[in-house]
Structures are given as C-alpha cells and as structure tokens.
Amino acid sequence: SPPPPSPSPPPHAPPSPPPSPPPPSPPSFCDPQLEDLLLYTTDANSRAYANASAAVRSTFAPGGATAFSVGSFGELGRASSLQTRVLGGDVTAWYLSSATYSPTLPAATVRAILGTTSLAYPQTLRAMYQVHDAEGNTVQGGASTPQLTYQLDGDATVRTVQCYAVGALSGVGECYGSLVPAAFDSAASVPLSLEWTSAATGDQIALASFGTVATQRRPTWSAGGWDLGDADALVYVDAGKA
C-alpha cells in the first residue's frame, strides 16, 4: 500500500513585537544659562556701542550689528569690525563681521561767500562755497562743482569764473579767476552768483547776487601800455658809467 502523506508544516509564528522603549526621564530643571555659551560682541575700533534698548539675544548674537549704535556724534562713513567672544575671560574672536555706521549722504545744500571784495586789474577774484548733506554734515557722499557767474553793467553776456571740487572733510570748495578787462574800464560794482546742482535731489540751486566785488578803474597808461614812441631812437644810459 502507498505510504501515508507527509504532515503539513506548521504555519509561521507571527514576529514578536519590539521591546517597549524605556520611560522618558523626568525633565531637568537646570539653569538656562548653562544650556549654551553666552557670547558678547564688541566693536574692535570702539566706534559704536551695544544699544541697551535692543533685544538681548541680538546683542549677544554672532555679528550683532543690528544692536549697535554710534550715538549723536558718531563718525560718518567709517568701516569697522565686530568681534564676538565667549562671555568671561575668553580672548579669542570666534566670529568676525564688518560694519559701516552712518553712511555718508549726498550734498543737499550750498552756501557761498566772497574772499575778495575789491579788485584792481589784473588781480584775481576768489570766492568760497561749502556744501552740506540733508542733516547738516560737511562730510558728504557726493557733490557737484558749481559755477560762479557775473554780468557787467549794460552787458547781457553771462561770464564765468572757474570753481573747483570740495574738500572731502570740510565740504569747502573754491572759485578763483580773473574778470574780463572790460570790468576795469570804469569803477563799478559787479554782482556775483553761484549756480549749483544738488546731488541729493538733482535740483538746480542759484545763489543770485550772493556777493558784490568792487572793481577799480584801470589807469590809461596801463590800458595800452607805455607810449615810448620810436624804440630805436631811445638812448640807453649805463648808470654805472654815468
């Protein structure tokens, strides 16, 4: 007779569940100051100070540029370096960042004054001008060069005297040059005006007749030169042998 059939294998047992995680540890109530290191940031050149009204977290953050202020009399347009260290006796600057405080603004206003009040031919006229930004600072981020103009009485021609660029710190510039010879044909008062373009707004600013220079009449002998007649007929005398 045929052999009996082999018994079927038992079904696979389901996998054992993973072990349960250990219960969480109770929260620790340590000092929050021990959770991380406290950092502090200073200006390497002492051009700014940490603003006490700023958020503490930003003041003691790496970089911290937004928490610094230059005060009422800060230096304009000066670059500096911010250094961040660990609070305490640490001397290593772990973070470095650059900062520029109070950037310079373009020139917005101008004033002018005469340096010469009277002229005799062929003396040179001088005038000074000074520019300021919108906040009244002479240190500015850009200024155009003005033009000094004048007109003689009864003459419609507008004449100019050259002006030169302003100083970087003082904001002072100078205009100097000679008036045309016709200005000395008779004694007269010549009004002077300054025309300037504001770098802040692009507006044309005219200081009309900001000053007047008095011209002296040129003597007739210098108007045409010495009248010596025939130079070949002149007799030259050696003073050492006379």
Side-chain angles (χ1 to χ4, degrees):
S1 66
S6 300
S8 301
H12 292 289
S16 300
S20 299
S25 302
S28 59
F29 297 96
C30 63
D31 190 335
Q33 293 186 356
L34 298 179
E35 294 180 358
D36 55 13
L37 295 176
L38 285 180
L39 305 176
Y40 74 102
T41 302
T42 57
D43 187 314
N45 298 304
S46 300
R47 290 181 174 146
Y49 64 93
N51 192 341
S53 63
V56 174
R57 298 296 296 181
S58 65
T59 301
F60 291 97
T66 57
F68 281 79
S69 174
V70 295
S72 301
F73 302 100
E75 297 179 88
L76 297 177
R78 291 297 185 92
S80 192
S81 175
L82 301 177
Q83 300 178 347
T84 301
R85 296 179 174 85
V86 176
L87 190 62
D90 182 27
V91 296
T92 302
W94 298 101
Y95 301 99
L96 297 174
S97 61
S98 59
T100 300
Y101 309 111
S102 301
T104 53
L105 302 175
T109 61
V110 64
R111 65 189 185 103
I113 188 172
L114 271 181
T116 308
T117 56
S118 63
L119 285 177
Y121 183 82
Q123 292 177 331
T124 299
L125 172 74
R126 290 181 180 272
M128 282 69 70
Y129 70 95
Q130 186 177 41
V131 299
H132 297 82
D133 67 11
E135 298 180 356
N137 299 306
T138 59
V139 178
Q140 34 67 40
S144 60
T145 302
Q147 190 175 51
L148 186 66
T149 63
Y150 68 97
Q151 287 181 268
L152 301 181
D153 189 25
D155 189 347
T157 303
V158 178
R159 295 178 167 85
T160 62
V161 175
Q162 187 173 0
C163 296
Y164 300 87
V166 300
L169 298 179
S170 66
V172 174
E174 188 176 18
C175 308
Y176 57 88
S178 299
L179 303 184
V180 294
F184 303 92
D185 288 346
S186 61
S189 294
V190 181
L192 302 167
S193 301
L194 193 78
E195 298 177 359
W196 180 73
T197 302
S198 170
T201 63
D203 295 337
Q204 297 290 325
I205 298 177
L207 303 181
S209 301
F210 72 87
T212 300
V213 62
T215 59
Q216 301 177 17
R217 180 177 177 273
R218 180 170 49 160
T220 55
W221 55 263
S222 66
W226 290 95
D227 185 8
L228 298 179
D230 186 2
D232 292 336
L234 293 177
V235 177
Y236 297 93
V237 177
D238 187 341
K241 298 180 180 180

